[in-house]
Amino acid sequence: LGRPELLHRPAVAIVGARNASGHGRYLASMVARELSERGVTIVSGLARGIDTAAHQGGLEGKGSTIAVLGSGIDVFYPPENATLQARIAGDGLVLSERPPGTPPLARHFPRRNRIIASLVSGVVVIEAAARSGSLMTARLAGAEGREVMAVPGSPLDPRHAGTNQLLREGAALVTGIDDILAALPDWSRRTAAPEAAARPADRLP
């Protein structure tokens, strides 16, 4: 539902914890907005937490956002995201491989992750536990030759155990928008906003 032309634009996935911290949600929204303003489409899974913040940020720029569902395309899940899902269907794109009416069963979400990984040039993980669907998405993306990127976090917070593990395994370190653009040089020059080169590099707080 929505704008299928977004499938032909440069795209980055932003995924992470459902029980994300306020700081994590802020980062996801800010990164998504900055990328979308440069024409990059933001892909995520419409889950609570990081996914929700990423979609909200993506809608604020010309790149917009793609939501990949683990349920039927006419099912609103989580229910509190019904308004957001409807907005994405109008201003972005909502995708599902499940027949209409399919409930959000747990076994559908891991398979959903492979679609997210295949639609993008790279995956940015912001907060993820050691055993997380976000790590599955990142590793599927890496296996397909996509760039895997992660935001580091405190070793005392279990929500950063997965992202820190990805960094140990060789994921690109993300401390700002420029790190994402540098990791994806094939389209970074093409999508960069004209004013971006004239201002200081955007850094995450």
Side-chain angles (χ1 to χ4, degrees), residues 152-161 164 168:
S154 168
L156 301 179
D157 187 339
R159 288 175 295 199
H160 296 294
N164 291 339
R168 286 194 294 271

Side-chain angles (χ1 to χ4, degrees), residues 11-15 42-47 51 55 66-70 95 109-124 133-134 137-138 140-141 144 146:
V12 166
I14 298 178
V15 297
I42 305 303
V43 181
S44 200
L46 201 65
D51 289 18
H55 288 305
I66 297 173
V68 185
L69 308 184
L95 294 178
F109 291 92
R111 293 185 59 80
R112 179 272 314 268
N113 293 341
R114 84 192 194 286
I115 300 175
I116 295 175
S118 69
L119 292 177
V120 298
S121 298
V123 173
V124 179
S134 299
T137 303
L140 287 167
E144 293 190 22
R146 274 65 168 169

Side-chain angles (χ1 to χ4, degrees), residues 95-109:
L95 294 178
S96 177
E97 66 177 341
R98 301 294 168 187
T102 302
L105 302 178
R107 67 177 181 271
H108 295 162
F109 291 92

Side-chain angles (χ1 to χ4, degrees), residues 123 138 147-150 163-174:
V123 173
E147 188 70 36
V148 176
M149 297 162 274
T163 50
N164 291 339
Q165 178 62 36
L166 287 175
L167 292 168
R168 286 194 294 271
E169 293 172 356
L173 176 71
V174 172

